[in-house]
Amino acid sequence: MAALESQSSRDATIIGKLNSEIRRITSSIGEHNAELTKLQRLNDKLEVALREKAEELSRARQLHGEEVARLVEELRELRASYELKIREYEELMDIRIRLKTG
């Protein structure tokens, strides 16, 4: 009978330690779940910010491309204008030379 009481006492001690360990682990799981939830919210916010920045970059690229195209066209028009002015100047110089020599 003493052996059973001793075994019962040991079992009660072990059960008490196991219950304590279960409470500790449950508490730890709760803390980890809270941290996980916090990190998921942060991740969601960062994903939204990333999408916004990607959209902003896309818009900036589009505007930059449009600006480059506009500037290329403006440069083409300026070159054509300068070529016309050079031809007109050459014609005037030819006329001037002919008047001086003629």
Side-chain angles (χ1 to χ4, degrees):
M1 185 72 158
L4 288 176
E5 288 177 4
S6 176
Q7 184 62 41
S8 177
S9 176
R10 282 191 304 266
D11 288 349
T13 302
I14 292 171
I15 290 173
K17 288 179 182 179
L18 289 175
N19 284 334
S20 176
E21 184 67 13
I22 289 171
R23 282 190 296 276
R24 187 189 66 75
I25 290 171
T26 302
S27 174
S28 178
I29 289 171
E31 290 170 5
H32 290 307
N33 283 339
E35 183 67 18
L36 179 60
T37 300
K38 178 181 169 186
L39 291 173
Q40 286 173 332
R41 286 185 189 130
L42 177 59
N43 187 53
D44 292 343
K45 288 178 185 178
L46 291 173
E47 285 179 350
V48 167
L50 179 62
R51 274 193 304 276
E52 289 172 353
K53 288 297 179 185
E55 290 169 0
E56 184 180 321
L57 177 61
S58 178
R59 285 190 301 272
R61 282 183 179 157
Q62 181 180 356
L63 290 175
H64 177 72
E66 292 170 359
E67 180 69 9
V68 167
R70 186 189 65 75
L71 290 172
V72 166
E73 178 60 22
E74 185 178 332
L75 182 59
R76 187 196 64 72
E77 290 172 359
L78 285 171
R79 283 182 180 154
S81 173
Y82 286 136
E83 288 173 5
L84 177 63
K85 290 181 189 307
I86 287 172
R87 282 194 301 275
E88 290 173 352
Y89 180 75
E90 288 172 347
E91 289 174 11
L92 288 174
M93 289 303 290
D94 288 345
I95 292 171
R96 184 176 178 198
I97 289 172
R98 275 189 257 137
L99 287 175
K100 278 188 174 182
T101 60

